[in-house]
Amino acid sequence: MSGISRRNFIQITGGAAAVSTLGVSNILLAGKSAGHVVIVGGGIGGATAARYIKRADPAVQVTIVEPNKDYYTCFMSNEVLSGHRTLDSIKFGYKNLESMGVKIVQDYASNIDAGKKHVVTKKSGNIAYDRCIVSPGVDFKWEMIEGLDAKVAAEKIPHAWKAGPQTALMRKQLEAMKDGGTVIIAPPPNPFRCPPGPYERACQVADYLKNHKPKSKVLILDAKDKFSKQGLFMQGWKKHYGYGTDNSLIEWVKGAEGGIIEGVDAKTNTVTGSVDEYKGDVVNIIPAQKAGKIAFTAGLVNDKGWCPVNQQTFESTKHKDVYVIGDSSVASPLPKSGYSANSEAKVCAAAVVASLQGKDPAIPTLVNTCYSVLAPGDGISVAMVYNFDGKKIQKVKGSGGLTPMDSSPAMRAREEQYAHSWFRNITADVFGG
Amino acid sequence: MKLNKKVLALLVLGGLSVSGNSMAGTPSALDLANTCAGCHGVDGSSNGPAIPSIAGVSPDYFKDAMMDYKDADGRYSTIMARIAKGYTEEEIGLMAGYFSKQKMVPADQKFDATQAKAGAKLHKKYCEKCHEDGGKSAEDDAGVLAGQWTAYLHYTMDDFTNGRRDMPKKMKKKVQKLQKKDAKGMEKLLNYYGSQK
Ligand SMILES: Cc1cc2nc3c(=O)[nH]c(=O)nc-3n(C[C@H](O)[C@H](O)[C@H](O)COP(=O)(O)OP(=O)(O)OC[C@H]3O[C@@H](n4cnc5c(N)ncnc54)[C@H](O)[C@@H]3O)c2cc1C
């Protein structure tokens, strides 16, 4: 990409700007022992938190524990399925974070001892922390679908709800499929990561079919009766993929009408619903979700399987000095999205730095946006601004909302360009560069 | 967690704000500005290809833009109206202060050198008066054109000429004159702004 030198430049000027706005106090503080923050998970939440702690106070030591060498963004991974972008274009490394002084420990955190204040790792021993930030993303409730587990998903029935090898597997399956085949996409019940994601995926897969295998179709077997941006999606399905006609490329079966699935036979690609059986040529089951595994081991979850936090700081209400951000945390009214995780990480980073400096936490401010690309040249969005009422995060009345249903094709083309701009800017904000 | 006196005082102030919610207080300029980075780039310098950079604009231009977005009959946008409505005038003022102090990193984008050269001449003649220093200056409260993403400038000129955004009267005169003289003049101008580093 041509932007590399420019990105480095941003990083340098960004750093300088951070110092100048924060003033002298931080530079003086830098001499003292500023503390050690250990971050579990180098995804969207974790990497953002690391960068923003360093921007606020370079003297704070930051360590990220992350098992993977590279991170593949889920966002825009649906465009890998359609063939509009490569897997490489959604791959990000940790070099820029390291050059900011963030230490990367390539390992898996198996527990957090909140009493002794250390993170237990698989191979690298215990890592002591002053503050710990946990951003492990989601884990799956495999038990809700008979015949499905992590191994089956990795080899045959990809969820592709964590981008990377399973995105590549599903793309390969789509390419290998004969014309006239059926692609089953089974979205999970609420709450889950990226509420519009499965329906954007249906668009991207349908776009591929339209151009390469026009006799095929996407069959959405939904656990729910309604979904995010539904009006806009259905309008887009009609416009681009013949939705509602006899040869529609997309069919949607809602939960109440047999969409809920209970099992899968990976050998025959047969999905068992509450009413019918369905056979697919490519089967993409996105299982129901809960907080990442470490949140359970470390005792950070509530009885629903998500992590309650103080919404001013994202400190866990279960363990002191442990913070949970991203998909795992209970950040509602924010949805589980990448923009949310990025925004939460900034609030949390500021709160952690304030707490290490013995200061009161600031008043949080957050934003969420989710773009979806319905077809080349057609994008839609949802946005919201959030503030803090003294106890919890709330939507700012009058702000946010969806792309209007009557927005013109020219404006929808702009939104697609803006979606791709968002991708470039948020990934630079998260991983640097 | 301590709800200290300052926070309580701000609670009262927050109650008077125009946003309609009861708020615990006003966030800092930095914290507010950081929420924009996911779309506008770190410290307001966008990686493109279309979302504009907002670093280095004048505080007045910034405030006007945000207040116009908030206004139901104001400036057209695909998404900014939905975002701008989330902030009070005070918060917008804080962000104006922050972004105006950031240095805009010029867009790294393709341009046609011949057109850009012709554009430089047209700029002097038609635009320099209010977009000084080749469109680099922020002091005219007219945005920063040099180094802005060309796709965004295209959209904006399209909004101006189609009435989706109010064009300053005198600018309109110049733009109309230019279009009469040279139908491809705007293309040349935008190549010129896109060429500036
Ligand atoms: C198809 C799809 C499309 C999407 N599109 C959008 C979009 O357009 N816009 C948007 O805003 N969001 C989108 N999202 C959602 C977004 O990707 C997630 O909400 C976001 O990644 C959440 O960030 P996180 O930090 O919570 O988790 P992640 O980004 O998943 O990061 C978690 C990290 O933690 C690591 N980890 C987990 N457990 C451990 C452990 N025990 N020890 C060490 N490391 C660990 C993992 O390896 C991973 O790197 C999309 C998601 C999907 C699936």
Side-chain angles (χ1 to χ4, degrees), chain A residues 2 6 312 339 346 360 381 388 394-395 397 400-401 411 414 421 425, chain B residues 1 4 21-24 34-35 39 46-47 50 76 82 106 108 159:
Chain A
S2 61
R6 175 187 150 69
Q312 184 171 14
Y339 208 116
K346 293 171 188 177
D360 285 339
S381 59
F388 186 67
Q394 61 184 349
K395 296 178 180 178
K397 273 191 203 123
M411 298 307 133
R414 284 190 191 179
S421 306
N425 283 321
Chain B
M1 185 197 69
N4 59 23
N21 296 55
S22 82
M23 287 156 63
N34 282 343
T35 65
C39 281
S46 171
N47 287 296
Y76 176 83
R82 288 179 265 158
D108 182 359
D159 288 345

PDB file of all heavy atoms in Angstrom, chain A residues 2 6 312 339 346 360 381 388 394-395 397 400-401 411 414 421 425, chain B residues 1 4 21-24 34-35 39 46-47 50 76 82 106 108 159:
ATOM      1  N   SER A   2       0.372   2.275  -0.693  1.00  0.00           N
ATOM      2  CA  SER A   2       1.178   3.486  -0.849  1.00  0.00           C
ATOM      3  C   SER A   2       1.249   4.291   0.444  1.00  0.00           C
ATOM      4  O   SER A   2       2.072   5.162   0.595  1.00  0.00           O
ATOM      5  CB  SER A   2       0.558   4.356  -1.937  1.00  0.00           C
ATOM      6  OG  SER A   2      -0.749   4.724  -1.543  1.00  0.00           O
ATOM      7  N   ARG A   6       3.253   7.728   4.909  1.00  0.00           N
ATOM      8  CA  ARG A   6       2.280   8.668   5.440  1.00  0.00           C
ATOM      9  C   ARG A   6       1.783   8.218   6.810  1.00  0.00           C
ATOM     10  O   ARG A   6       1.634   8.984   7.734  1.00  0.00           O
ATOM     11  CB  ARG A   6       1.124   8.708   4.442  1.00  0.00           C
ATOM     12  CG  ARG A   6      -0.017   9.504   4.858  1.00  0.00           C
ATOM     13  CD  ARG A   6      -1.127   9.298   3.852  1.00  0.00           C
ATOM     14  NE  ARG A   6      -2.391   9.454   4.528  1.00  0.00           N
ATOM     15  CZ  ARG A   6      -2.819  10.618   4.990  1.00  0.00           C
ATOM     16  NH1 ARG A   6      -2.083  11.686   4.804  1.00  0.00           N
ATOM     17  NH2 ARG A   6      -3.948  10.706   5.614  1.00  0.00           N
ATOM     18  N   GLN A 312     -18.336   3.824  33.668  1.00  0.00           N
ATOM     19  CA  GLN A 312     -17.508   5.027  33.539  1.00  0.00           C
ATOM     20  C   GLN A 312     -16.062   4.665  33.206  1.00  0.00           C
ATOM     21  O   GLN A 312     -15.352   5.431  32.553  1.00  0.00           O
ATOM     22  CB  GLN A 312     -17.538   5.851  34.840  1.00  0.00           C
ATOM     23  CG  GLN A 312     -16.761   7.158  34.722  1.00  0.00           C
ATOM     24  CD  GLN A 312     -16.940   8.096  35.895  1.00  0.00           C
ATOM     25  OE1 GLN A 312     -17.451   7.700  36.942  1.00  0.00           O
ATOM     26  NE2 GLN A 312     -16.519   9.333  35.743  1.00  0.00           N
ATOM     27  N   TYR A 339     -16.295  -0.723  16.219  1.00  0.00           N
ATOM     28  CA  TYR A 339     -16.214   0.696  16.569  1.00  0.00           C
ATOM     29  C   TYR A 339     -16.474   0.860  18.061  1.00  0.00           C
ATOM     30  O   TYR A 339     -15.802   1.643  18.741  1.00  0.00           O
ATOM     31  CB  TYR A 339     -17.198   1.550  15.744  1.00  0.00           C
ATOM     32  CG  TYR A 339     -16.707   2.983  15.575  1.00  0.00           C
ATOM     33  CD1 TYR A 339     -16.385   3.498  14.325  1.00  0.00           C
ATOM     34  CD2 TYR A 339     -16.527   3.812  16.686  1.00  0.00           C
ATOM     35  CE1 TYR A 339     -15.913   4.797  14.181  1.00  0.00           C
ATOM     36  CE2 TYR A 339     -16.055   5.117  16.543  1.00  0.00           C
ATOM     37  CZ  TYR A 339     -15.744   5.599  15.287  1.00  0.00           C
ATOM     38  OH  TYR A 339     -15.264   6.877  15.149  1.00  0.00           O
ATOM     39  N   LYS A 346     -10.745   3.389  24.456  1.00  0.00           N
ATOM     40  CA  LYS A 346     -10.211   4.728  24.719  1.00  0.00           C
ATOM     41  C   LYS A 346     -10.670   5.233  26.073  1.00  0.00           C
ATOM     42  O   LYS A 346      -9.895   5.847  26.822  1.00  0.00           O
ATOM     43  CB  LYS A 346     -10.638   5.695  23.607  1.00  0.00           C
ATOM     44  CG  LYS A 346      -9.987   5.354  22.277  1.00  0.00           C
ATOM     45  CD  LYS A 346     -10.567   6.176  21.132  1.00  0.00           C
ATOM     46  CE  LYS A 346     -10.019   5.647  19.810  1.00  0.00           C
ATOM     47  NZ  LYS A 346     -10.582   6.353  18.659  1.00  0.00           N
ATOM     48  N   ASP A 360      -9.160  11.099  39.536  1.00  0.00           N
ATOM     49  CA  ASP A 360     -10.520  10.619  39.299  1.00  0.00           C
ATOM     50  C   ASP A 360     -10.698  10.308  37.812  1.00  0.00           C
ATOM     51  O   ASP A 360     -10.083  10.959  36.964  1.00  0.00           O
ATOM     52  CB  ASP A 360     -11.542  11.695  39.693  1.00  0.00           C
ATOM     53  CG  ASP A 360     -11.680  11.802  41.201  1.00  0.00           C
ATOM     54  OD1 ASP A 360     -11.328  10.822  41.900  1.00  0.00           O
ATOM     55  OD2 ASP A 360     -12.129  12.856  41.681  1.00  0.00           O
ATOM     56  N   SER A 381     -25.446   2.596   6.666  1.00  0.00           N
ATOM     57  CA  SER A 381     -24.782   2.742   7.963  1.00  0.00           C
ATOM     58  C   SER A 381     -25.786   2.900   9.089  1.00  0.00           C
ATOM     59  O   SER A 381     -26.947   3.263   8.871  1.00  0.00           O
ATOM     60  CB  SER A 381     -23.870   3.970   7.938  1.00  0.00           C
ATOM     61  OG  SER A 381     -24.636   5.126   7.643  1.00  0.00           O
ATOM     62  N   PHE A 388     -22.717   9.973  29.340  1.00  0.00           N
ATOM     63  CA  PHE A 388     -22.722   9.302  30.629  1.00  0.00           C
ATOM     64  C   PHE A 388     -23.622  10.073  31.571  1.00  0.00           C
ATOM     65  O   PHE A 388     -23.496  11.293  31.689  1.00  0.00           O
ATOM     66  CB  PHE A 388     -21.277   9.279  31.149  1.00  0.00           C
ATOM     67  CG  PHE A 388     -21.094   8.498  32.411  1.00  0.00           C
ATOM     68  CD1 PHE A 388     -21.266   7.119  32.427  1.00  0.00           C
ATOM     69  CD2 PHE A 388     -20.716   9.132  33.588  1.00  0.00           C
ATOM     70  CE1 PHE A 388     -21.076   6.397  33.592  1.00  0.00           C
ATOM     71  CE2 PHE A 388     -20.529   8.415  34.754  1.00  0.00           C
ATOM     72  CZ  PHE A 388     -20.709   7.043  34.756  1.00  0.00           C
ATOM     73  N   GLN A 394     -25.500   6.214  28.136  1.00  0.00           N
ATOM     74  CA  GLN A 394     -26.812   6.341  27.501  1.00  0.00           C
ATOM     75  C   GLN A 394     -26.653   6.909  26.093  1.00  0.00           C
ATOM     76  O   GLN A 394     -25.672   7.589  25.779  1.00  0.00           O
ATOM     77  CB  GLN A 394     -27.705   7.256  28.345  1.00  0.00           C
ATOM     78  CG  GLN A 394     -27.142   8.672  28.477  1.00  0.00           C
ATOM     79  CD  GLN A 394     -27.947   9.580  29.377  1.00  0.00           C
ATOM     80  OE1 GLN A 394     -29.055   9.242  29.768  1.00  0.00           O
ATOM     81  NE2 GLN A 394     -27.394  10.745  29.702  1.00  0.00           N
ATOM     82  N   LYS A 395     -27.645   6.615  25.260  1.00  0.00           N
ATOM     83  CA  LYS A 395     -27.663   7.207  23.919  1.00  0.00           C
ATOM     84  C   LYS A 395     -27.973   8.683  24.056  1.00  0.00           C
ATOM     85  O   LYS A 395     -28.831   9.048  24.867  1.00  0.00           O
ATOM     86  CB  LYS A 395     -28.768   6.569  23.079  1.00  0.00           C
ATOM     87  CG  LYS A 395     -28.561   5.089  22.812  1.00  0.00           C
ATOM     88  CD  LYS A 395     -29.735   4.531  22.010  1.00  0.00           C
ATOM     89  CE  LYS A 395     -29.513   3.045  21.761  1.00  0.00           C
ATOM     90  NZ  LYS A 395     -30.630   2.414  21.041  1.00  0.00           N
ATOM     91  N   LYS A 397     -29.988  11.594  23.115  1.00  0.00           N
ATOM     92  CA  LYS A 397     -31.285  11.738  22.431  1.00  0.00           C
ATOM     93  C   LYS A 397     -31.138  12.586  21.185  1.00  0.00           C
ATOM     94  O   LYS A 397     -30.492  13.620  21.203  1.00  0.00           O
ATOM     95  CB  LYS A 397     -32.294  12.418  23.361  1.00  0.00           C
ATOM     96  CG  LYS A 397     -33.014  11.424  24.256  1.00  0.00           C
ATOM     97  CD  LYS A 397     -34.202  12.104  24.959  1.00  0.00           C
ATOM     98  CE  LYS A 397     -34.545  11.333  26.205  1.00  0.00           C
ATOM     99  NZ  LYS A 397     -34.499  12.161  27.421  1.00  0.00           N
ATOM    100  N   GLY A 400     -27.737   9.909  16.085  1.00  0.00           N
ATOM    101  CA  GLY A 400     -27.660   8.560  15.552  1.00  0.00           C
ATOM    102  C   GLY A 400     -28.813   8.141  14.666  1.00  0.00           C
ATOM    103  O   GLY A 400     -29.640   8.946  14.250  1.00  0.00           O
ATOM    104  N   GLY A 401     -28.841   6.847  14.369  1.00  0.00           N
ATOM    105  CA  GLY A 401     -29.878   6.282  13.522  1.00  0.00           C
ATOM    106  C   GLY A 401     -29.307   5.695  12.243  1.00  0.00           C
ATOM    107  O   GLY A 401     -28.090   5.568  12.089  1.00  0.00           O
ATOM    108  N   MET A 411     -25.920   8.811  -3.097  1.00  0.00           N
ATOM    109  CA  MET A 411     -25.507   8.928  -1.701  1.00  0.00           C
ATOM    110  C   MET A 411     -25.103   7.566  -1.138  1.00  0.00           C
ATOM    111  O   MET A 411     -24.223   7.457  -0.312  1.00  0.00           O
ATOM    112  CB  MET A 411     -26.634   9.545  -0.851  1.00  0.00           C
ATOM    113  CG  MET A 411     -26.988  10.958  -1.289  1.00  0.00           C
ATOM    114  SD  MET A 411     -25.534  12.049  -1.373  1.00  0.00           S
ATOM    115  CE  MET A 411     -25.774  12.829  -2.960  1.00  0.00           C
ATOM    116  N   ARG A 414     -21.655   7.019  -2.126  1.00  0.00           N
ATOM    117  CA  ARG A 414     -20.756   7.705  -1.198  1.00  0.00           C
ATOM    118  C   ARG A 414     -20.540   6.864   0.050  1.00  0.00           C
ATOM    119  O   ARG A 414     -19.426   6.734   0.537  1.00  0.00           O
ATOM    120  CB  ARG A 414     -21.356   9.044  -0.754  1.00  0.00           C
ATOM    121  CG  ARG A 414     -21.277  10.129  -1.772  1.00  0.00           C
ATOM    122  CD  ARG A 414     -21.668  11.456  -1.129  1.00  0.00           C
ATOM    123  NE  ARG A 414     -21.855  12.461  -2.165  1.00  0.00           N
ATOM    124  CZ  ARG A 414     -22.220  13.715  -1.917  1.00  0.00           C
ATOM    125  NH1 ARG A 414     -22.449  14.104  -0.670  1.00  0.00           N
ATOM    126  NH2 ARG A 414     -22.366  14.572  -2.896  1.00  0.00           N
ATOM    127  N   SER A 421     -13.237   3.966   3.669  1.00  0.00           N
ATOM    128  CA  SER A 421     -12.398   4.946   4.380  1.00  0.00           C
ATOM    129  C   SER A 421     -12.383   4.619   5.870  1.00  0.00           C
ATOM    130  O   SER A 421     -11.346   4.668   6.526  1.00  0.00           O
ATOM    131  CB  SER A 421     -12.943   6.368   4.208  1.00  0.00           C
ATOM    132  OG  SER A 421     -13.106   6.698   2.853  1.00  0.00           O
ATOM    133  N   ASN A 425      -9.174   3.985   8.298  1.00  0.00           N
ATOM    134  CA  ASN A 425      -8.891   4.840   9.448  1.00  0.00           C
ATOM    135  C   ASN A 425      -8.967   4.085  10.764  1.00  0.00           C
ATOM    136  O   ASN A 425      -8.140   4.296  11.653  1.00  0.00           O
ATOM    137  CB  ASN A 425      -9.827   6.049   9.447  1.00  0.00           C
ATOM    138  CG  ASN A 425      -9.381   7.079   8.425  1.00  0.00           C
ATOM    139  OD1 ASN A 425      -8.181   7.317   8.253  1.00  0.00           O
ATOM    140  ND2 ASN A 425     -10.319   7.683   7.721  1.00  0.00           N
TER     141      ASN A 425
ATOM    142  N   MET B   1     -15.978   4.442  43.614  1.00  0.00           N
ATOM    143  CA  MET B   1     -15.833   5.633  42.760  1.00  0.00           C
ATOM    144  C   MET B   1     -16.440   6.852  43.444  1.00  0.00           C
ATOM    145  O   MET B   1     -17.508   6.792  44.010  1.00  0.00           O
ATOM    146  CB  MET B   1     -16.564   5.377  41.446  1.00  0.00           C
ATOM    147  CG  MET B   1     -16.385   6.463  40.453  1.00  0.00           C
ATOM    148  SD  MET B   1     -17.640   6.319  39.168  1.00  0.00           S
ATOM    149  CE  MET B   1     -19.092   6.729  40.063  1.00  0.00           C
ATOM    150  N   ASN B   4     -17.418  13.460  43.124  1.00  0.00           N
ATOM    151  CA  ASN B   4     -16.992  14.619  43.909  1.00  0.00           C
ATOM    152  C   ASN B   4     -17.819  15.866  43.576  1.00  0.00           C
ATOM    153  O   ASN B   4     -18.705  15.854  42.741  1.00  0.00           O
ATOM    154  CB  ASN B   4     -15.498  14.869  43.713  1.00  0.00           C
ATOM    155  CG  ASN B   4     -15.183  15.102  42.254  1.00  0.00           C
ATOM    156  OD1 ASN B   4     -16.064  15.495  41.500  1.00  0.00           O
ATOM    157  ND2 ASN B   4     -13.954  14.850  41.871  1.00  0.00           N
ATOM    158  N   ASN B  21     -30.531  14.922  27.370  1.00  0.00           N
ATOM    159  CA  ASN B  21     -30.270  13.920  28.395  1.00  0.00           C
ATOM    160  C   ASN B  21     -29.760  14.610  29.649  1.00  0.00           C
ATOM    161  O   ASN B  21     -29.264  15.717  29.597  1.00  0.00           O
ATOM    162  CB  ASN B  21     -29.159  12.971  27.962  1.00  0.00           C
ATOM    163  CG  ASN B  21     -29.538  12.167  26.748  1.00  0.00           C
ATOM    164  OD1 ASN B  21     -29.899  12.725  25.733  1.00  0.00           O
ATOM    165  ND2 ASN B  21     -29.444  10.876  26.866  1.00  0.00           N
ATOM    166  N   SER B  22     -29.867  13.902  30.788  1.00  0.00           N
ATOM    167  CA  SER B  22     -29.136  14.424  31.932  1.00  0.00           C
ATOM    168  C   SER B  22     -27.743  13.823  31.867  1.00  0.00           C
ATOM    169  O   SER B  22     -27.568  12.618  31.681  1.00  0.00           O
ATOM    170  CB  SER B  22     -29.844  14.054  33.227  1.00  0.00           C
ATOM    171  OG  SER B  22     -29.507  12.760  33.611  1.00  0.00           O
ATOM    172  N   MET B  23     -26.746  14.681  31.926  1.00  0.00           N
ATOM    173  CA  MET B  23     -25.371  14.226  31.752  1.00  0.00           C
ATOM    174  C   MET B  23     -24.583  14.433  33.023  1.00  0.00           C
ATOM    175  O   MET B  23     -24.887  15.314  33.818  1.00  0.00           O
ATOM    176  CB  MET B  23     -24.689  15.051  30.649  1.00  0.00           C
ATOM    177  CG  MET B  23     -25.145  14.734  29.251  1.00  0.00           C
ATOM    178  SD  MET B  23     -24.855  16.137  28.187  1.00  0.00           S
ATOM    179  CE  MET B  23     -23.073  16.258  28.251  1.00  0.00           C
ATOM    180  N   ALA B  24     -23.544  13.623  33.178  1.00  0.00           N
ATOM    181  CA  ALA B  24     -22.716  13.739  34.381  1.00  0.00           C
ATOM    182  C   ALA B  24     -21.698  14.852  34.251  1.00  0.00           C
ATOM    183  O   ALA B  24     -21.010  15.167  35.202  1.00  0.00           O
ATOM    184  CB  ALA B  24     -22.012  12.421  34.640  1.00  0.00           C
ATOM    185  N   ASN B  34     -11.048  12.061  20.299  1.00  0.00           N
ATOM    186  CA  ASN B  34     -10.606  10.684  20.041  1.00  0.00           C
ATOM    187  C   ASN B  34     -11.718   9.794  19.483  1.00  0.00           C
ATOM    188  O   ASN B  34     -11.434   8.827  18.786  1.00  0.00           O
ATOM    189  CB  ASN B  34     -10.057  10.057  21.328  1.00  0.00           C
ATOM    190  CG  ASN B  34      -8.639  10.529  21.636  1.00  0.00           C
ATOM    191  OD1 ASN B  34      -7.955  11.064  20.758  1.00  0.00           O
ATOM    192  ND2 ASN B  34      -8.202  10.339  22.871  1.00  0.00           N
ATOM    193  N   THR B  35     -12.970  10.116  19.796  1.00  0.00           N
ATOM    194  CA  THR B  35     -14.051   9.259  19.295  1.00  0.00           C
ATOM    195  C   THR B  35     -14.230   9.404  17.784  1.00  0.00           C
ATOM    196  O   THR B  35     -14.870   8.564  17.163  1.00  0.00           O
ATOM    197  CB  THR B  35     -15.409   9.574  19.961  1.00  0.00           C
ATOM    198  OG1 THR B  35     -15.823  10.890  19.607  1.00  0.00           O
ATOM    199  CG2 THR B  35     -15.342   9.437  21.468  1.00  0.00           C
ATOM    200  N   CYS B  39     -13.224   7.185  12.113  1.00  0.00           N
ATOM    201  CA  CYS B  39     -13.640   7.582  10.764  1.00  0.00           C
ATOM    202  C   CYS B  39     -12.715   8.625  10.136  1.00  0.00           C
ATOM    203  O   CYS B  39     -12.440   8.567   8.944  1.00  0.00           O
ATOM    204  CB  CYS B  39     -15.059   8.141  10.782  1.00  0.00           C
ATOM    205  SG  CYS B  39     -16.331   6.862  10.842  1.00  0.00           S
ATOM    206  N   SER B  46      -7.124  11.914   7.761  1.00  0.00           N
ATOM    207  CA  SER B  46      -7.760  10.705   7.233  1.00  0.00           C
ATOM    208  C   SER B  46      -6.857   9.958   6.258  1.00  0.00           C
ATOM    209  O   SER B  46      -6.136  10.565   5.467  1.00  0.00           O
ATOM    210  CB  SER B  46      -9.064  11.095   6.537  1.00  0.00           C
ATOM    211  OG  SER B  46      -9.619  10.003   5.837  1.00  0.00           O
ATOM    212  N   ASN B  47      -6.942   8.638   6.290  1.00  0.00           N
ATOM    213  CA  ASN B  47      -6.246   7.788   5.327  1.00  0.00           C
ATOM    214  C   ASN B  47      -7.047   7.593   4.038  1.00  0.00           C
ATOM    215  O   ASN B  47      -6.659   6.807   3.191  1.00  0.00           O
ATOM    216  CB  ASN B  47      -5.968   6.418   5.948  1.00  0.00           C
ATOM    217  CG  ASN B  47      -4.876   6.481   6.990  1.00  0.00           C
ATOM    218  OD1 ASN B  47      -3.733   6.792   6.681  1.00  0.00           O
ATOM    219  ND2 ASN B  47      -5.222   6.226   8.236  1.00  0.00           N
ATOM    220  N   ALA B  50     -12.043   8.614   0.973  1.00  0.00           N
ATOM    221  CA  ALA B  50     -13.090   9.628   0.789  1.00  0.00           C
ATOM    222  C   ALA B  50     -13.433  10.428   2.047  1.00  0.00           C
ATOM    223  O   ALA B  50     -13.797  11.593   1.944  1.00  0.00           O
ATOM    224  CB  ALA B  50     -14.356   8.976   0.233  1.00  0.00           C
ATOM    225  N   TYR B  76     -26.173  19.239   4.023  1.00  0.00           N
ATOM    226  CA  TYR B  76     -26.443  17.837   3.722  1.00  0.00           C
ATOM    227  C   TYR B  76     -25.260  16.967   4.137  1.00  0.00           C
ATOM    228  O   TYR B  76     -24.104  17.365   4.057  1.00  0.00           O
ATOM    229  CB  TYR B  76     -26.703  17.642   2.219  1.00  0.00           C
ATOM    230  CG  TYR B  76     -26.882  16.179   1.904  1.00  0.00           C
ATOM    231  CD1 TYR B  76     -28.110  15.562   2.090  1.00  0.00           C
ATOM    232  CD2 TYR B  76     -25.797  15.392   1.519  1.00  0.00           C
ATOM    233  CE1 TYR B  76     -28.267  14.208   1.870  1.00  0.00           C
ATOM    234  CE2 TYR B  76     -25.944  14.036   1.299  1.00  0.00           C
ATOM    235  CZ  TYR B  76     -27.179  13.441   1.483  1.00  0.00           C
ATOM    236  OH  TYR B  76     -27.325  12.093   1.285  1.00  0.00           O
ATOM    237  N   ARG B  82     -26.200  12.801  11.785  1.00  0.00           N
ATOM    238  CA  ARG B  82     -26.540  11.850  12.849  1.00  0.00           C
ATOM    239  C   ARG B  82     -25.503  11.903  13.974  1.00  0.00           C
ATOM    240  O   ARG B  82     -25.809  11.648  15.131  1.00  0.00           O
ATOM    241  CB  ARG B  82     -26.613  10.424  12.279  1.00  0.00           C
ATOM    242  CG  ARG B  82     -27.826  10.191  11.402  1.00  0.00           C
ATOM    243  CD  ARG B  82     -27.825   8.767  10.865  1.00  0.00           C
ATOM    244  NE  ARG B  82     -27.228   8.644   9.540  1.00  0.00           N
ATOM    245  CZ  ARG B  82     -26.737   7.504   9.056  1.00  0.00           C
ATOM    246  NH1 ARG B  82     -26.733   6.411   9.783  1.00  0.00           N
ATOM    247  NH2 ARG B  82     -26.236   7.468   7.836  1.00  0.00           N
ATOM    248  N   PRO B 106      -1.243  15.841   4.528  1.00  0.00           N
ATOM    249  CA  PRO B 106      -1.872  15.880   3.203  1.00  0.00           C
ATOM    250  C   PRO B 106      -2.137  14.466   2.674  1.00  0.00           C
ATOM    251  O   PRO B 106      -1.356  13.550   2.914  1.00  0.00           O
ATOM    252  CB  PRO B 106      -0.842  16.595   2.336  1.00  0.00           C
ATOM    253  CG  PRO B 106       0.120  17.234   3.271  1.00  0.00           C
ATOM    254  CD  PRO B 106       0.091  16.461   4.538  1.00  0.00           C
ATOM    255  N   ASP B 108      -2.303  11.214   0.549  1.00  0.00           N
ATOM    256  CA  ASP B 108      -1.394  10.561  -0.378  1.00  0.00           C
ATOM    257  C   ASP B 108      -2.262   9.941  -1.464  1.00  0.00           C
ATOM    258  O   ASP B 108      -2.805   8.856  -1.301  1.00  0.00           O
ATOM    259  CB  ASP B 108      -0.632   9.470   0.398  1.00  0.00           C
ATOM    260  CG  ASP B 108       0.388   8.751  -0.457  1.00  0.00           C
ATOM    261  OD1 ASP B 108       0.492   9.083  -1.656  1.00  0.00           O
ATOM    262  OD2 ASP B 108       1.067   7.860   0.067  1.00  0.00           O
ATOM    263  N   ASP B 159     -22.525  18.866  -3.935  1.00  0.00           N
ATOM    264  CA  ASP B 159     -23.539  19.354  -2.992  1.00  0.00           C
ATOM    265  C   ASP B 159     -23.767  20.854  -3.168  1.00  0.00           C
ATOM    266  O   ASP B 159     -24.901  21.329  -3.160  1.00  0.00           O
ATOM    267  CB  ASP B 159     -23.114  19.072  -1.541  1.00  0.00           C
ATOM    268  CG  ASP B 159     -23.201  17.593  -1.188  1.00  0.00           C
ATOM    269  OD1 ASP B 159     -23.851  16.848  -1.945  1.00  0.00           O
ATOM    270  OD2 ASP B 159     -22.620  17.185  -0.167  1.00  0.00           O
TER     271      ASP B 159
END
